[in-house]
């Protein structure tokens, strides 16, 4: 075990062992739901949410794509401020847990970085680009609103608007919603305090197919992301488009390491996205940022 993994174990293993033994004392809401201890690892169909797949293996590698992809995490949401996990499928299409005022600002502030990434891609290969920019988003309010605010930031920021014109970009105003970009489902941990991520992330590193507490596994997220990206890519079959995927922290972190070919996608939590952060989806490991040792989640992030 390397030093980084030892630090992860030191931070999270005590609380995970307590949880696995059925003796968690915090948060109280979690205990209230689980007086009768359930098996740690679920099998078959997810018992909490039938729409969430349970898979046995990681999917095949993501094949070469025809379009350029960028990953945008939602801005600060009311759930971030409350410090709770917000992954229920009932949130799709609702206005619950939308952006805070800071989150709106973060969404708008993502526009310059996004255009900078697109500009760099044009410098690297301008010959195949259609210069068309499309936004796809999770149907959760915080993601959809972030995509909308990024678009608004492109119009409101004179410098960004000028660069878009100079580059000849054609930015589509419609935000297309895709269920494949929804938040990672956290099963019996949904609605509980952020600290309960500590029951899941360390185990992800060792076993990407685990479904502890009926969470959606890393392998299942990778599987649906693979399907979603290939479907979107086929809709833009001419290639050379610039496609923004607006989603959530775990989903985008899993996406970036899976797309890059990292050997252990379960280490995704070491490549954190900040609120409103945008990154180019690279296809090699050297495009990933430097990994950061796993830390307990903080309220407001």
């Amino acid at each position: 075990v390397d030093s980084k993994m030892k630090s992860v174990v030191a931070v999270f293993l005590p609380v995970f062992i307590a949880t696995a033994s059925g003796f968690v004392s915090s948060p109280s809401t979690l205990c209230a739901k689980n007086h009768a201890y359930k098996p740690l690892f679920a099998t078959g169909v997810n018992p909490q949410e039938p729409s969430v797949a349970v898979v046995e293996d990681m999917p095949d590698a993501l094949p070469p794509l025809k379009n350029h992809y960028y990953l945008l995490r939602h801005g600060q949401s009311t759930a971030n401020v409350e410090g709770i996990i917000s992954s229920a499928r009932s949130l799709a299409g609702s206005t619950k847990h939308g952006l805070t005022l800071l989150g709106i600002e973060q969404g708008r502030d993502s526009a310059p970085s996004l255009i900078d990434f697109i500009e760099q891609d044009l410098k690297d290969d301008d010959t195949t680009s259609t210069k068309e920019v499309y936004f796809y988003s999770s149907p959760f309010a915080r993601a959809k609103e972030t995509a909308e605010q990024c678009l608004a930031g492109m119009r409101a920021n004179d410098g960004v608007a000028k660069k878009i014109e100079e580059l000849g970009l054609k930015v589509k105003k419609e935000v297309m919603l895709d269920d494949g970009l929804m938040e990672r489902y956290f099963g019996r941990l949904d609605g509980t305090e952020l600290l309960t991520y500590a029951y899941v992330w360390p185990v992800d590193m060792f076993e990407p197919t685990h479904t502890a507490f009926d969470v959606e596994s890393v392998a299942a997220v990778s599987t649906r992301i693979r399907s979603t990206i290939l479907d979107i890519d086929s809709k833009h079959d001419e290639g050379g488009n610039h496609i923004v995927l607006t989603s959530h922290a775990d989903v985008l972190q899993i996406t970036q390491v899976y797309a890059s070919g990292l050997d252990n996608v379960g280490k995704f939590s070491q490549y954190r996205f900040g609120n409103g952060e945008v990154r180019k989806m690279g296809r090699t490991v050297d495009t990933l940022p430097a990994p950061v040792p796993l830390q307990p989640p903080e309220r407001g992030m």
Side-chain angles (χ1 to χ4, degrees), residues 52-72:
V52 174
V54 175
V55 302
E56 296 182 355
D57 298 293
M58 283 291 295
D60 293 338
L62 190 65
L65 301 168
K66 299 175 181 178
N67 299 283
H68 305 277
Y69 288 85
Y70 312 89
L71 309 178
L72 172 60

Side-chain angles (χ1 to χ4, degrees), residues 5-248:
M5 189 64 76
K6 287 180 180 178
S7 67
V8 169
V9 171
V11 172
F12 290 110
L13 189 56
V15 70
F16 178 73
I17 290 174
T19 303
S21 303
F23 296 111
V24 175
S25 59
S26 176
S28 58
T29 54
L30 179 63
C31 295
K33 294 181 181 178
N34 297 287
H35 291 302
Y37 179 67
K38 299 180 182 180
L40 184 60
F41 297 101
T43 58
V45 176
N46 189 299
Q48 302 294 317
E49 177 50 69
S51 69
V52 174
V54 175
V55 302
E56 296 182 355
D57 298 293
M58 283 291 295
D60 293 338
L62 190 65
L65 301 168
K66 299 175 181 178
N67 299 283
H68 305 277
Y69 288 85
Y70 312 89
L71 309 178
L72 172 60
R73 186 193 172 195
H74 65 79
Q76 185 190 67
S77 71
T78 57
N80 291 147
V81 175
E82 292 174 37
I84 59 171
I85 296 175
S86 170
S87 69
R89 279 6 192 185
S90 60
L91 293 173
S94 80
T95 58
K96 187 175 181 180
H97 294 163
L99 296 180
T100 63
L101 290 177
L102 175 58
I104 291 172
E105 181 180 349
Q106 290 169 334
R108 293 201 172 202
D109 288 348
S110 68
S113 295
L114 173 61
I115 297 304
D116 285 346
F117 281 122
I118 294 175
E119 180 182 26
Q120 185 59 54
D121 278 339
L122 290 174
K123 288 179 180 178
D124 293 340
D125 182 13
D126 190 19
T127 58
T128 61
S129 174
T130 64
K131 299 192 176 182
E132 294 186 352
V133 181
Y134 296 87
F135 278 78
Y136 283 82
S137 174
S138 158
F140 283 26
R142 56 190 184 267
K144 176 177 177 287
E145 291 171 7
T146 299
E148 292 170 342
Q149 290 302 322
C150 183
L151 283 165
M154 291 181 183
R155 297 188 294 269
N157 185 313
D158 291 340
V160 172
K162 182 179 180 182
K163 182 176 286 189
I164 289 173
E165 182 179 1
E166 291 173 347
L167 294 173
L169 297 178
K170 295 165 285 217
V171 181
K172 306 302 180 180
K173 297 180 181 179
E174 178 187 5
V175 176
M176 291 168 281
L177 304 182
D178 195 309
D179 288 349
L181 297 173
M182 278 198 280
E183 174 68 283
R184 181 185 185 186
Y185 181 63
F186 272 85
R188 287 179 278 146
L189 301 181
D190 184 65
T192 63
E193 297 175 29
L194 292 180
L195 64 87
T196 55
Y197 281 132
Y199 306 161
V200 177
W201 289 342
V203 190
D204 290 334
M205 293 185 177
F206 295 97
E207 180 46 74
T209 62
H210 88 85
T211 55
F213 307 100
D214 301 321
V215 303
E216 183 179 17
S217 70
V218 172
V221 174
S222 300
T223 299
R224 69 170 161 96
I225 283 297
R226 184 182 194 276
S227 176
T228 298
I229 291 177
L230 291 180
D231 179 62
I232 291 173
D233 212 51
S234 69
K235 292 176 180 176
H236 302 274
D237 194 53
E238 71 281 10
N241 298 289
H242 303 271
I243 298 173
V244 185
L245 306 178
T246 312
S247 188
H248 310 265

Side-chain angles (χ1 to χ4, degrees), residues 235-277:
K235 292 176 180 176
H236 302 274
D237 194 53
E238 71 281 10
N241 298 289
H242 303 271
I243 298 173
V244 185
L245 306 178
T246 312
S247 188
H248 310 265
D250 273 29
V251 174
L252 294 181
Q253 288 151 198
I254 291 170
T255 299
Q256 69 171 350
V257 297
Y258 166 63
S260 76
L262 190 71
D263 58 352
N264 182 0
V265 178
K267 291 184 177 181
F268 72 89
S269 52
Q270 296 183 345
Y271 301 89
R272 297 293 294 172
F273 270 75
N275 288 119
E277 183 178 357

